[in-house]
Amino acid sequence: QVHLMESGGGSVQTGGSLRLSCALSEYSYTILCMGWFRQSPGKEREGVAFIDDGGTTHYADSVQGRFTISKDNNKNTLYLQMNNLNPEDTAMYYCATPVKEAGLQPCAVLRPNPRRFGNWGQGTQVTVSS
């Protein structure tokens, strides 16, 4: 089991920026892939950005060039820098990791299917107004 805690959400205007953080704790197995998902009311959970243990990143087309995923292994923290936000980015944002049995799977295998990620934070709300 992995404990995940997101922070950094808020309300911004179109064109604004936010930086989300996700603190990871209480895990004892190797995790090669971590990711950020988002979900807005009435829509399915969408994979936004993923990062492999070696630093390779993957992005959804809708955020490519605007969002940047990164991690600090010393702090056990995952980040999502979001720039040039627009109202379509409004959603609850979640960080996620796979369960132990899939911990050695790379992002290329796991993403963007949320069913392949078994550990989730409580989410942080991002609201972008026009």
Side-chain angles (χ1 to χ4, degrees):
Q1 186 70 13
V2 179
H3 185 249
L4 306 172
M5 178 72 75
E6 302 96 336
S7 61
S11 297
V12 297
Q13 292 187 328
T14 297
S17 298
L18 285 172
R19 187 194 195 199
L20 306 183
S21 298
C22 174
L24 288 78
S25 62
E26 300 177 14
Y27 68 99
S28 60
Y29 59 92
T30 301
I31 299 173
L32 295 187
C33 177
M34 303 177 187
W36 287 96
F37 291 79
R38 66 185 181 186
Q39 189 169 21
S40 51
K43 294 186 178 180
E44 293 186 356
R45 192 162 294 191
E46 173 191 19
V48 174
F50 302 87
I51 186 166
D52 282 302
D53 186 62
T56 302
T57 56
H58 313 261
Y59 297 96
D61 290 343
S62 58
V63 306
Q64 181 76 47
R66 300 187 299 121
F67 290 12
T68 302
I69 187 172
S70 62
K71 61 178 181 171
D72 185 330
N73 291 328
N74 291 328
K75 296 181 179 179
N76 287 332
T77 302
L78 184 68
Y79 301 101
L80 185 67
Q81 177 66 43
M82 306 186 296
N83 297 328
N84 195 21
L85 287 161
N86 59 65
E88 288 69 38
D89 297 316
T90 295
M92 186 73 79
Y93 283 71
Y94 302 89
C95 62
T97 69
V99 295
K100 182 177 181 179
E101 292 73 19
L104 296 180
Q105 297 286 344
C107 291
V109 172
L110 299 175
R111 69 173 186 102
N113 190 339
R115 297 182 184 86
R116 297 183 178 143
F117 290 78
N119 297 310
W120 298 86
Q122 84 290 345
T124 186
Q125 178 68 37
V126 171
T127 302
V128 185
S129 58
S130 57

PDB file of all heavy atoms in Angstrom, residues 45-79:
ATOM      1  N   ARG A  45     -12.105   9.395 -15.854  1.00  0.00           N
ATOM      2  CA  ARG A  45     -10.796   9.826 -15.361  1.00  0.00           C
ATOM      3  C   ARG A  45      -9.796   9.766 -16.512  1.00  0.00           C
ATOM      4  O   ARG A  45      -9.694   8.754 -17.215  1.00  0.00           O
ATOM      5  CB  ARG A  45     -10.364   8.937 -14.197  1.00  0.00           C
ATOM      6  CG  ARG A  45      -9.179   9.449 -13.439  1.00  0.00           C
ATOM      7  CD  ARG A  45      -9.058   8.804 -12.075  1.00  0.00           C
ATOM      8  NE  ARG A  45     -10.152   9.173 -11.188  1.00  0.00           N
ATOM      9  CZ  ARG A  45     -10.163   8.910  -9.883  1.00  0.00           C
ATOM     10  NH1 ARG A  45      -9.149   8.258  -9.321  1.00  0.00           N
ATOM     11  NH2 ARG A  45     -11.199   9.274  -9.151  1.00  0.00           N
ATOM     12  N   GLU A  46      -9.042  10.832 -16.684  1.00  0.00           N
ATOM     13  CA  GLU A  46      -8.129  10.987 -17.818  1.00  0.00           C
ATOM     14  C   GLU A  46      -6.678  11.017 -17.340  1.00  0.00           C
ATOM     15  O   GLU A  46      -6.341  11.763 -16.423  1.00  0.00           O
ATOM     16  CB  GLU A  46      -8.454  12.298 -18.561  1.00  0.00           C
ATOM     17  CG  GLU A  46      -7.472  12.652 -19.659  1.00  0.00           C
ATOM     18  CD  GLU A  46      -7.663  14.065 -20.175  1.00  0.00           C
ATOM     19  OE1 GLU A  46      -8.302  14.887 -19.470  1.00  0.00           O
ATOM     20  OE2 GLU A  46      -7.167  14.369 -21.273  1.00  0.00           O
ATOM     21  N   GLY A  47      -5.849  10.236 -17.982  1.00  0.00           N
ATOM     22  CA  GLY A  47      -4.422  10.276 -17.687  1.00  0.00           C
ATOM     23  C   GLY A  47      -3.792  11.517 -18.296  1.00  0.00           C
ATOM     24  O   GLY A  47      -3.928  11.750 -19.489  1.00  0.00           O
ATOM     25  N   VAL A  48      -3.142  12.325 -17.483  1.00  0.00           N
ATOM     26  CA  VAL A  48      -2.615  13.607 -17.911  1.00  0.00           C
ATOM     27  C   VAL A  48      -1.115  13.546 -18.177  1.00  0.00           C
ATOM     28  O   VAL A  48      -0.646  13.991 -19.222  1.00  0.00           O
ATOM     29  CB  VAL A  48      -2.916  14.678 -16.843  1.00  0.00           C
ATOM     30  CG1 VAL A  48      -2.245  15.986 -17.189  1.00  0.00           C
ATOM     31  CG2 VAL A  48      -4.418  14.865 -16.689  1.00  0.00           C
ATOM     32  N   ALA A  49      -0.365  13.027 -17.219  1.00  0.00           N
ATOM     33  CA  ALA A  49       1.094  13.011 -17.348  1.00  0.00           C
ATOM     34  C   ALA A  49       1.658  11.866 -16.526  1.00  0.00           C
ATOM     35  O   ALA A  49       1.123  11.541 -15.465  1.00  0.00           O
ATOM     36  CB  ALA A  49       1.687  14.339 -16.882  1.00  0.00           C
ATOM     37  N   PHE A  50       2.752  11.295 -17.039  1.00  0.00           N
ATOM     38  CA  PHE A  50       3.371  10.148 -16.385  1.00  0.00           C
ATOM     39  C   PHE A  50       4.884  10.295 -16.443  1.00  0.00           C
ATOM     40  O   PHE A  50       5.419  10.893 -17.375  1.00  0.00           O
ATOM     41  CB  PHE A  50       2.947   8.845 -17.076  1.00  0.00           C
ATOM     42  CG  PHE A  50       1.462   8.648 -17.088  1.00  0.00           C
ATOM     43  CD1 PHE A  50       0.685   9.191 -18.104  1.00  0.00           C
ATOM     44  CD2 PHE A  50       0.831   7.940 -16.085  1.00  0.00           C
ATOM     45  CE1 PHE A  50      -0.684   9.039 -18.112  1.00  0.00           C
ATOM     46  CE2 PHE A  50      -0.539   7.771 -16.089  1.00  0.00           C
ATOM     47  CZ  PHE A  50      -1.296   8.328 -17.100  1.00  0.00           C
ATOM     48  N   ILE A  51       5.540   9.700 -15.462  1.00  0.00           N
ATOM     49  CA  ILE A  51       6.993   9.761 -15.434  1.00  0.00           C
ATOM     50  C   ILE A  51       7.542   8.419 -14.990  1.00  0.00           C
ATOM     51  O   ILE A  51       7.063   7.814 -14.027  1.00  0.00           O
ATOM     52  CB  ILE A  51       7.495  10.905 -14.525  1.00  0.00           C
ATOM     53  CG1 ILE A  51       9.005  11.057 -14.629  1.00  0.00           C
ATOM     54  CG2 ILE A  51       7.047  10.712 -13.081  1.00  0.00           C
ATOM     55  CD1 ILE A  51       9.521  12.359 -14.024  1.00  0.00           C
ATOM     56  N   ASP A  52       8.529   7.939 -15.740  1.00  0.00           N
ATOM     57  CA  ASP A  52       9.210   6.698 -15.410  1.00  0.00           C
ATOM     58  C   ASP A  52      10.317   6.951 -14.403  1.00  0.00           C
ATOM     59  O   ASP A  52      10.754   8.089 -14.200  1.00  0.00           O
ATOM     60  CB  ASP A  52       9.807   6.078 -16.671  1.00  0.00           C
ATOM     61  CG  ASP A  52       8.773   5.365 -17.512  1.00  0.00           C
ATOM     62  OD1 ASP A  52       8.137   4.447 -16.980  1.00  0.00           O
ATOM     63  OD2 ASP A  52       8.600   5.743 -18.680  1.00  0.00           O
ATOM     64  N   ASP A  53      10.807   5.873 -13.814  1.00  0.00           N
ATOM     65  CA  ASP A  53      11.856   5.986 -12.812  1.00  0.00           C
ATOM     66  C   ASP A  53      13.093   6.671 -13.366  1.00  0.00           C
ATOM     67  O   ASP A  53      13.775   7.401 -12.656  1.00  0.00           O
ATOM     68  CB  ASP A  53      12.204   4.587 -12.297  1.00  0.00           C
ATOM     69  CG  ASP A  53      13.183   4.628 -11.153  1.00  0.00           C
ATOM     70  OD1 ASP A  53      12.842   5.214 -10.105  1.00  0.00           O
ATOM     71  OD2 ASP A  53      14.286   4.069 -11.283  1.00  0.00           O
ATOM     72  N   GLY A  54      13.361   6.468 -14.650  1.00  0.00           N
ATOM     73  CA  GLY A  54      14.531   7.079 -15.272  1.00  0.00           C
ATOM     74  C   GLY A  54      14.316   8.506 -15.726  1.00  0.00           C
ATOM     75  O   GLY A  54      15.249   9.147 -16.222  1.00  0.00           O
ATOM     76  N   GLY A  55      13.102   9.001 -15.551  1.00  0.00           N
ATOM     77  CA  GLY A  55      12.823  10.389 -15.903  1.00  0.00           C
ATOM     78  C   GLY A  55      12.118  10.589 -17.229  1.00  0.00           C
ATOM     79  O   GLY A  55      11.784  11.723 -17.581  1.00  0.00           O
ATOM     80  N   THR A  56      11.848   9.519 -17.961  1.00  0.00           N
ATOM     81  CA  THR A  56      11.092   9.656 -19.205  1.00  0.00           C
ATOM     82  C   THR A  56       9.672  10.085 -18.894  1.00  0.00           C
ATOM     83  O   THR A  56       9.041   9.539 -17.998  1.00  0.00           O
ATOM     84  CB  THR A  56      11.070   8.331 -19.976  1.00  0.00           C
ATOM     85  OG1 THR A  56      12.411   7.920 -20.251  1.00  0.00           O
ATOM     86  CG2 THR A  56      10.312   8.490 -21.289  1.00  0.00           C
ATOM     87  N   THR A  57       9.195  11.074 -19.636  1.00  0.00           N
ATOM     88  CA  THR A  57       7.862  11.615 -19.386  1.00  0.00           C
ATOM     89  C   THR A  57       6.921  11.346 -20.557  1.00  0.00           C
ATOM     90  O   THR A  57       7.350  11.181 -21.699  1.00  0.00           O
ATOM     91  CB  THR A  57       7.929  13.127 -19.136  1.00  0.00           C
ATOM     92  OG1 THR A  57       8.561  13.758 -20.255  1.00  0.00           O
ATOM     93  CG2 THR A  57       8.727  13.432 -17.884  1.00  0.00           C
ATOM     94  N   HIS A  58       5.636  11.289 -20.218  1.00  0.00           N
ATOM     95  CA  HIS A  58       4.583  11.057 -21.209  1.00  0.00           C
ATOM     96  C   HIS A  58       3.438  12.001 -20.887  1.00  0.00           C
ATOM     97  O   HIS A  58       3.094  12.171 -19.708  1.00  0.00           O
ATOM     98  CB  HIS A  58       4.071   9.606 -21.124  1.00  0.00           C
ATOM     99  CG  HIS A  58       5.148   8.563 -21.062  1.00  0.00           C
ATOM    100  ND1 HIS A  58       5.549   7.847 -22.164  1.00  0.00           N
ATOM    101  CD2 HIS A  58       5.912   8.122 -20.024  1.00  0.00           C
ATOM    102  CE1 HIS A  58       6.503   7.001 -21.800  1.00  0.00           C
ATOM    103  NE2 HIS A  58       6.747   7.140 -20.513  1.00  0.00           N
ATOM    104  N   TYR A  59       2.838  12.586 -21.927  1.00  0.00           N
ATOM    105  CA  TYR A  59       1.764  13.546 -21.713  1.00  0.00           C
ATOM    106  C   TYR A  59       0.577  13.253 -22.618  1.00  0.00           C
ATOM    107  O   TYR A  59       0.724  12.784 -23.747  1.00  0.00           O
ATOM    108  CB  TYR A  59       2.262  14.970 -22.001  1.00  0.00           C
ATOM    109  CG  TYR A  59       3.365  15.422 -21.086  1.00  0.00           C
ATOM    110  CD1 TYR A  59       4.699  15.318 -21.476  1.00  0.00           C
ATOM    111  CD2 TYR A  59       3.083  15.961 -19.826  1.00  0.00           C
ATOM    112  CE1 TYR A  59       5.720  15.725 -20.632  1.00  0.00           C
ATOM    113  CE2 TYR A  59       4.099  16.369 -18.981  1.00  0.00           C
ATOM    114  CZ  TYR A  59       5.411  16.245 -19.392  1.00  0.00           C
ATOM    115  OH  TYR A  59       6.420  16.647 -18.547  1.00  0.00           O
ATOM    116  N   ALA A  60      -0.584  13.602 -22.114  1.00  0.00           N
ATOM    117  CA  ALA A  60      -1.766  13.600 -22.960  1.00  0.00           C
ATOM    118  C   ALA A  60      -1.625  14.727 -23.976  1.00  0.00           C
ATOM    119  O   ALA A  60      -1.028  15.772 -23.689  1.00  0.00           O
ATOM    120  CB  ALA A  60      -3.022  13.805 -22.110  1.00  0.00           C
ATOM    121  N   ASP A  61      -2.195  14.524 -25.153  1.00  0.00           N
ATOM    122  CA  ASP A  61      -2.101  15.547 -26.198  1.00  0.00           C
ATOM    123  C   ASP A  61      -2.663  16.891 -25.731  1.00  0.00           C
ATOM    124  O   ASP A  61      -2.162  17.949 -26.110  1.00  0.00           O
ATOM    125  CB  ASP A  61      -2.855  15.086 -27.445  1.00  0.00           C
ATOM    126  CG  ASP A  61      -2.155  13.937 -28.151  1.00  0.00           C
ATOM    127  OD1 ASP A  61      -0.959  13.708 -27.882  1.00  0.00           O
ATOM    128  OD2 ASP A  61      -2.821  13.265 -28.968  1.00  0.00           O
ATOM    129  N   SER A  62      -3.674  16.842 -24.892  1.00  0.00           N
ATOM    130  CA  SER A  62      -4.360  18.061 -24.469  1.00  0.00           C
ATOM    131  C   SER A  62      -3.503  18.948 -23.558  1.00  0.00           C
ATOM    132  O   SER A  62      -3.804  20.123 -23.391  1.00  0.00           O
ATOM    133  CB  SER A  62      -5.665  17.703 -23.744  1.00  0.00           C
ATOM    134  OG  SER A  62      -5.402  16.867 -22.629  1.00  0.00           O
ATOM    135  N   VAL A  63      -2.440  18.385 -22.982  1.00  0.00           N
ATOM    136  CA  VAL A  63      -1.613  19.175 -22.067  1.00  0.00           C
ATOM    137  C   VAL A  63      -0.163  19.286 -22.535  1.00  0.00           C
ATOM    138  O   VAL A  63       0.640  19.995 -21.916  1.00  0.00           O
ATOM    139  CB  VAL A  63      -1.636  18.585 -20.643  1.00  0.00           C
ATOM    140  CG1 VAL A  63      -3.076  18.439 -20.160  1.00  0.00           C
ATOM    141  CG2 VAL A  63      -0.907  17.263 -20.568  1.00  0.00           C
ATOM    142  N   GLN A  64       0.161  18.597 -23.630  1.00  0.00           N
ATOM    143  CA  GLN A  64       1.538  18.622 -24.138  1.00  0.00           C
ATOM    144  C   GLN A  64       1.983  20.057 -24.384  1.00  0.00           C
ATOM    145  O   GLN A  64       1.274  20.850 -24.997  1.00  0.00           O
ATOM    146  CB  GLN A  64       1.599  17.825 -25.445  1.00  0.00           C
ATOM    147  CG  GLN A  64       2.976  17.752 -26.070  1.00  0.00           C
ATOM    148  CD  GLN A  64       3.900  16.793 -25.361  1.00  0.00           C
ATOM    149  OE1 GLN A  64       3.536  15.668 -25.058  1.00  0.00           O
ATOM    150  NE2 GLN A  64       5.112  17.237 -25.097  1.00  0.00           N
ATOM    151  N   GLY A  65       3.159  20.396 -23.867  1.00  0.00           N
ATOM    152  CA  GLY A  65       3.687  21.734 -24.053  1.00  0.00           C
ATOM    153  C   GLY A  65       3.242  22.730 -22.998  1.00  0.00           C
ATOM    154  O   GLY A  65       3.807  23.834 -22.910  1.00  0.00           O
ATOM    155  N   ARG A  66       2.259  22.364 -22.187  1.00  0.00           N
ATOM    156  CA  ARG A  66       1.778  23.274 -21.133  1.00  0.00           C
ATOM    157  C   ARG A  66       2.064  22.717 -19.742  1.00  0.00           C
ATOM    158  O   ARG A  66       2.291  23.472 -18.804  1.00  0.00           O
ATOM    159  CB  ARG A  66       0.285  23.507 -21.282  1.00  0.00           C
ATOM    160  CG  ARG A  66      -0.129  24.134 -22.600  1.00  0.00           C
ATOM    161  CD  ARG A  66      -1.613  24.500 -22.610  1.00  0.00           C
ATOM    162  NE  ARG A  66      -2.477  23.335 -22.438  1.00  0.00           N
ATOM    163  CZ  ARG A  66      -3.353  23.187 -21.449  1.00  0.00           C
ATOM    164  NH1 ARG A  66      -3.476  24.122 -20.523  1.00  0.00           N
ATOM    165  NH2 ARG A  66      -4.118  22.107 -21.375  1.00  0.00           N
ATOM    166  N   PHE A  67       2.012  21.408 -19.599  1.00  0.00           N
ATOM    167  CA  PHE A  67       2.219  20.765 -18.295  1.00  0.00           C
ATOM    168  C   PHE A  67       3.576  20.083 -18.283  1.00  0.00           C
ATOM    169  O   PHE A  67       4.044  19.563 -19.309  1.00  0.00           O
ATOM    170  CB  PHE A  67       1.145  19.711 -18.032  1.00  0.00           C
ATOM    171  CG  PHE A  67      -0.234  20.253 -17.772  1.00  0.00           C
ATOM    172  CD1 PHE A  67      -0.560  21.579 -18.009  1.00  0.00           C
ATOM    173  CD2 PHE A  67      -1.217  19.416 -17.267  1.00  0.00           C
ATOM    174  CE1 PHE A  67      -1.828  22.062 -17.765  1.00  0.00           C
ATOM    175  CE2 PHE A  67      -2.496  19.879 -17.016  1.00  0.00           C
ATOM    176  CZ  PHE A  67      -2.791  21.211 -17.271  1.00  0.00           C
ATOM    177  N   THR A  68       4.182  20.048 -17.099  1.00  0.00           N
ATOM    178  CA  THR A  68       5.452  19.363 -16.917  1.00  0.00           C
ATOM    179  C   THR A  68       5.400  18.521 -15.651  1.00  0.00           C
ATOM    180  O   THR A  68       5.133  19.061 -14.560  1.00  0.00           O
ATOM    181  CB  THR A  68       6.624  20.349 -16.813  1.00  0.00           C
ATOM    182  OG1 THR A  68       6.670  21.164 -17.995  1.00  0.00           O
ATOM    183  CG2 THR A  68       7.943  19.600 -16.678  1.00  0.00           C
ATOM    184  N   ILE A  69       5.650  17.238 -15.793  1.00  0.00           N
ATOM    185  CA  ILE A  69       5.694  16.342 -14.641  1.00  0.00           C
ATOM    186  C   ILE A  69       7.146  16.147 -14.237  1.00  0.00           C
ATOM    187  O   ILE A  69       8.046  16.064 -15.078  1.00  0.00           O
ATOM    188  CB  ILE A  69       5.020  14.981 -14.956  1.00  0.00           C
ATOM    189  CG1 ILE A  69       4.914  14.123 -13.698  1.00  0.00           C
ATOM    190  CG2 ILE A  69       5.748  14.247 -16.067  1.00  0.00           C
ATOM    191  CD1 ILE A  69       4.080  12.860 -13.891  1.00  0.00           C
ATOM    192  N   SER A  70       7.382  16.097 -12.935  1.00  0.00           N
ATOM    193  CA  SER A  70       8.729  15.873 -12.428  1.00  0.00           C
ATOM    194  C   SER A  70       8.630  15.218 -11.062  1.00  0.00           C
ATOM    195  O   SER A  70       7.542  15.111 -10.487  1.00  0.00           O
ATOM    196  CB  SER A  70       9.505  17.189 -12.340  1.00  0.00           C
ATOM    197  OG  SER A  70       8.883  18.075 -11.428  1.00  0.00           O
ATOM    198  N   LYS A  71       9.752  14.782 -10.556  1.00  0.00           N
ATOM    199  CA  LYS A  71       9.746  14.177  -9.223  1.00  0.00           C
ATOM    200  C   LYS A  71      11.064  14.450  -8.528  1.00  0.00           C
ATOM    201  O   LYS A  71      12.096  14.660  -9.163  1.00  0.00           O
ATOM    202  CB  LYS A  71       9.487  12.677  -9.313  1.00  0.00           C
ATOM    203  CG  LYS A  71      10.522  11.907 -10.110  1.00  0.00           C
ATOM    204  CD  LYS A  71      10.214  10.422 -10.095  1.00  0.00           C
ATOM    205  CE  LYS A  71      11.259   9.638 -10.864  1.00  0.00           C
ATOM    206  NZ  LYS A  71      11.119   8.181 -10.691  1.00  0.00           N
ATOM    207  N   ASP A  72      10.996  14.474  -7.224  1.00  0.00           N
ATOM    208  CA  ASP A  72      12.175  14.634  -6.376  1.00  0.00           C
ATOM    209  C   ASP A  72      12.280  13.380  -5.523  1.00  0.00           C
ATOM    210  O   ASP A  72      11.515  13.206  -4.574  1.00  0.00           O
ATOM    211  CB  ASP A  72      12.029  15.886  -5.508  1.00  0.00           C
ATOM    212  CG  ASP A  72      13.282  16.183  -4.689  1.00  0.00           C
ATOM    213  OD1 ASP A  72      14.005  15.227  -4.330  1.00  0.00           O
ATOM    214  OD2 ASP A  72      13.524  17.353  -4.392  1.00  0.00           O
ATOM    215  N   ASN A  73      13.185  12.496  -5.881  1.00  0.00           N
ATOM    216  CA  ASN A  73      13.291  11.220  -5.178  1.00  0.00           C
ATOM    217  C   ASN A  73      13.728  11.401  -3.730  1.00  0.00           C
ATOM    218  O   ASN A  73      13.352  10.621  -2.850  1.00  0.00           O
ATOM    219  CB  ASN A  73      14.266  10.295  -5.903  1.00  0.00           C
ATOM    220  CG  ASN A  73      13.726   9.823  -7.233  1.00  0.00           C
ATOM    221  OD1 ASN A  73      12.513   9.655  -7.395  1.00  0.00           O
ATOM    222  ND2 ASN A  73      14.607   9.622  -8.205  1.00  0.00           N
ATOM    223  N   ASN A  74      14.507  12.430  -3.472  1.00  0.00           N
ATOM    224  CA  ASN A  74      14.959  12.669  -2.094  1.00  0.00           C
ATOM    225  C   ASN A  74      13.797  13.050  -1.189  1.00  0.00           C
ATOM    226  O   ASN A  74      13.800  12.755   0.005  1.00  0.00           O
ATOM    227  CB  ASN A  74      16.021  13.745  -2.063  1.00  0.00           C
ATOM    228  CG  ASN A  74      17.329  13.288  -2.694  1.00  0.00           C
ATOM    229  OD1 ASN A  74      17.671  12.105  -2.625  1.00  0.00           O
ATOM    230  ND2 ASN A  74      18.048  14.211  -3.307  1.00  0.00           N
ATOM    231  N   LYS A  75      12.821  13.740  -1.769  1.00  0.00           N
ATOM    232  CA  LYS A  75      11.662  14.179  -1.002  1.00  0.00           C
ATOM    233  C   LYS A  75      10.466  13.273  -1.182  1.00  0.00           C
ATOM    234  O   LYS A  75       9.408  13.530  -0.602  1.00  0.00           O
ATOM    235  CB  LYS A  75      11.291  15.613  -1.394  1.00  0.00           C
ATOM    236  CG  LYS A  75      12.353  16.650  -1.075  1.00  0.00           C
ATOM    237  CD  LYS A  75      11.883  18.039  -1.470  1.00  0.00           C
ATOM    238  CE  LYS A  75      12.932  19.092  -1.128  1.00  0.00           C
ATOM    239  NZ  LYS A  75      12.488  20.465  -1.525  1.00  0.00           N
ATOM    240  N   ASN A  76      10.610  12.225  -2.017  1.00  0.00           N
ATOM    241  CA  ASN A  76       9.477  11.337  -2.314  1.00  0.00           C
ATOM    242  C   ASN A  76       8.251  12.141  -2.745  1.00  0.00           C
ATOM    243  O   ASN A  76       7.133  11.923  -2.254  1.00  0.00           O
ATOM    244  CB  ASN A  76       9.121  10.464  -1.104  1.00  0.00           C
ATOM    245  CG  ASN A  76      10.144   9.375  -0.867  1.00  0.00           C
ATOM    246  OD1 ASN A  76      10.808   8.919  -1.792  1.00  0.00           O
ATOM    247  ND2 ASN A  76      10.275   8.955   0.372  1.00  0.00           N
ATOM    248  N   THR A  77       8.471  13.073  -3.634  1.00  0.00           N
ATOM    249  CA  THR A  77       7.404  13.972  -4.060  1.00  0.00           C
ATOM    250  C   THR A  77       7.322  14.030  -5.579  1.00  0.00           C
ATOM    251  O   THR A  77       8.347  14.126  -6.261  1.00  0.00           O
ATOM    252  CB  THR A  77       7.607  15.387  -3.494  1.00  0.00           C
ATOM    253  OG1 THR A  77       7.665  15.317  -2.071  1.00  0.00           O
ATOM    254  CG2 THR A  77       6.462  16.301  -3.895  1.00  0.00           C
ATOM    255  N   LEU A  78       6.111  13.967  -6.071  1.00  0.00           N
ATOM    256  CA  LEU A  78       5.802  14.093  -7.494  1.00  0.00           C
ATOM    257  C   LEU A  78       5.184  15.459  -7.726  1.00  0.00           C
ATOM    258  O   LEU A  78       4.399  15.945  -6.900  1.00  0.00           O
ATOM    259  CB  LEU A  78       4.819  12.984  -7.894  1.00  0.00           C
ATOM    260  CG  LEU A  78       4.414  12.849  -9.349  1.00  0.00           C
ATOM    261  CD1 LEU A  78       5.591  12.385 -10.187  1.00  0.00           C
ATOM    262  CD2 LEU A  78       3.240  11.893  -9.469  1.00  0.00           C
ATOM    263  N   TYR A  79       5.525  16.088  -8.851  1.00  0.00           N
ATOM    264  CA  TYR A  79       5.024  17.431  -9.144  1.00  0.00           C
ATOM    265  C   TYR A  79       4.333  17.467 -10.511  1.00  0.00           C
ATOM    266  O   TYR A  79       4.622  16.658 -11.392  1.00  0.00           O
ATOM    267  CB  TYR A  79       6.174  18.443  -9.160  1.00  0.00           C
ATOM    268  CG  TYR A  79       6.942  18.534  -7.870  1.00  0.00           C
ATOM    269  CD1 TYR A  79       8.173  17.895  -7.724  1.00  0.00           C
ATOM    270  CD2 TYR A  79       6.449  19.275  -6.793  1.00  0.00           C
ATOM    271  CE1 TYR A  79       8.892  17.979  -6.545  1.00  0.00           C
ATOM    272  CE2 TYR A  79       7.165  19.363  -5.614  1.00  0.00           C
ATOM    273  CZ  TYR A  79       8.381  18.716  -5.488  1.00  0.00           C
ATOM    274  OH  TYR A  79       9.092  18.799  -4.315  1.00  0.00           O
TER     275      TYR A  79
END
